[in-house]
Amino acid sequence: MAEKMATREAYGLALAELGEKHLFYVCDADLSKATRTEHFAKKYPERFFNIGISEGDMMSTAAGMSTCGSPVFASTFAMFAAGRAYDAVRNSIAYPHRNVKICATHAGILINEDGASHQCVEDIALMRVIPEMVVIVPTDAKLTKAAVEEALLYDGPVYIRLGGKYAEELVYDTDISFKIGKGMIVREGTDATIMAVGRMLYQSLLAADMLKAEGISARVVDMSCIKPMDEELVVRCAKETGVIVTAEDHSVIGGLGGAVAEVVSEAHPTVLRRVGVKDKFGMSGSFDEMVKIYGLDAETIFSAVKDAIKAK
């Protein structure tokens, strides 16, 4: 694999690059060094606005700015974007269908040592239940760049979920296309399907290698666009492999696992296992400690696939 890069860093660099050919504005809630929007701010200071530590106001301001005809990106930590500012996101951005892209960094458990107050495991669930909100969880730096550009060209509200200071391994070594509403098969397999988002896709590929060593062929699917979900692909995988395991650094309630369960329960009942945060808050701890405590690793995915195949 190529050198790692944090998705938040890729986001900031993408904004600076895209600013050369597209007119848009960026708002931040006094966290531009952490969200990496500082790359855009340094290059286009007249198009960058630090709203201060006032996340709800930032969302409403971004909504108002977007009515002038240009898209607006609004960034802060996921806990504040999806949690503290929820009312403004729902009523000022989504309800009137404003052209605002909410790009939230520091999402999930595997972000830093700040603890439960800053480790958001609910944001996918909160955002995907809002009508007309697109929800994207990029896998790595390459896909982040493509997703940011796709979101920019999309007319309407988008939530993009990004990581923290710990860099994600690059799954894609070259530039890749991204389409809203589409998943991507990154490895074929016939015995089971692993669907993952964010840094868990890399762990899923490692798990697939482990399964291959035991004679199990696992398909690996990148479901970076959680809403609208590629239901056709989900049903196809359910029919062709008969087993689906989801993997995410988010609560298994309402996240990718919940979304996939909703699809297969109605369209093609399938043996399903969900790897993710099991109805718990986060805690302070090192990256390696958190991976083990919450089971966000290849070994847990490997075990989940074997258990699902056994139950098939």
Side-chain angles (χ1 to χ4, degrees):
M1 295 293 176
E3 185 178 353
K4 298 190 292 185
M5 177 186 288
T7 51
R8 65 167 182 163
E9 181 70 17
Y11 163 59
L13 293 172
L15 288 181
E17 181 180 330
L18 290 168
E20 297 178 3
K21 56 181 180 179
H22 298 283
L23 176 61
F24 60 89
Y25 298 87
V26 176
C27 295
D28 204 290
D30 205 32
L31 285 170
S32 61
K33 289 185 181 298
T35 63
R36 311 307 291 155
T37 58
E38 67 173 356
H39 292 301
F40 183 88
K42 290 175 180 177
K43 196 170 183 180
Y44 306 102
E46 73 285 357
R47 290 154 58 185
F48 175 82
F49 299 87
N50 180 6
I51 307 301
I53 307 174
S54 181
E55 293 83 3
D57 181 41
M58 177 182 68
M59 297 302 178
S60 296
T61 298
M65 290 171 62
S66 71
T67 64
C68 295
S70 297
V72 181
F73 285 82
S75 289
T76 184
F77 289 0
M79 191 65 251
F80 309 141
R84 184 177 294 170
Y86 187 85
D87 178 70
V89 171
R90 181 190 186 277
N91 290 323
S92 296
I93 294 175
Y95 177 52
H97 201 77
R98 299 303 181 206
N99 199 13
V100 176
K101 323 303 171 183
I102 304 159
C103 295
T105 67
H106 295 75
I109 295 288
L110 305 176
I111 53 164
N112 52 31
E113 291 76 37
D114 289 346
S117 64
H118 285 57
Q119 294 164 336
C120 192
V121 297
E122 313 98 308
D123 55 317
I124 294 175
L126 289 168
M127 291 296 106
R128 80 179 185 91
V129 78
I130 297 178
E132 300 182 12
M133 178 68 75
V134 172
V135 179
I136 301 170
V137 187
T139 301
D140 65 3
K142 294 289 187 182
L143 199 63
T144 296
K145 177 183 176 182
V148 169
E149 183 165 19
E150 179 75 358
L152 175 62
L153 300 176
Y154 174 81
D155 184 14
V158 177
Y159 180 80
I160 300 181
R161 185 183 206 248
L162 304 166
K165 70 177 183 180
Y166 296 119
E168 289 83 0
E169 291 85 352
L170 282 176
V171 172
Y172 304 106
D173 293 329
T174 59
D175 290 342
I176 187 169
S177 62
F178 172 86
K179 295 297 179 184
I180 289 174
K182 292 296 182 182
M184 297 178 289
I185 297 175
V186 296
R187 183 178 298 183
E188 283 291 359
T190 56
D191 298 324
T193 298
I194 306 171
M195 295 184 171
V197 292
R199 68 168 69 247
M200 294 301 286
L201 185 67
Y202 180 80
Q203 295 302 313
S204 298
L205 289 168
L206 295 180
D209 290 337
M210 296 165 62
L211 290 162
K212 183 178 180 181
E214 296 199 4
I216 298 172
S217 173
R219 178 179 298 178
V220 180
V221 177
D222 186 339
M223 293 300 292
S224 289
C225 189
I226 291 185
K227 182 188 175 191
M229 176 160 281
D230 192 342
E231 296 187 6
E232 182 179 349
L233 179 57
V234 172
V235 174
R236 173 187 158 194
C237 290
K239 290 179 177 179
E240 292 178 353
T241 68
V243 165
I244 294 179
V245 172
T246 60
E248 59 194 312
D249 179 9
H250 181 275
S251 173
V252 295
I253 302 171
L256 172 66
V260 171
E262 290 167 9
V263 174
V264 297
S265 66
E266 291 186 352
H268 192 81
T270 304
V271 177
L272 174 68
R273 297 291 183 268
R274 295 171 295 162
V275 173
V277 181
K278 306 292 187 181
D279 197 25
K280 296 179 180 179
F281 283 106
M283 65 176 76
S284 291
S286 70
F287 180 90
D288 291 338
E289 288 173 332
M290 301 297 275
V291 164
K292 295 301 180 184
I293 290 170
Y294 290 91
L296 302 176
D297 54 15
E299 289 76 11
T300 304
I301 299 169
F302 168 79
S303 297
V305 172
K306 292 192 71 175
D307 179 67
I309 290 176
K310 189 181 300 182
K312 183 177 177 181

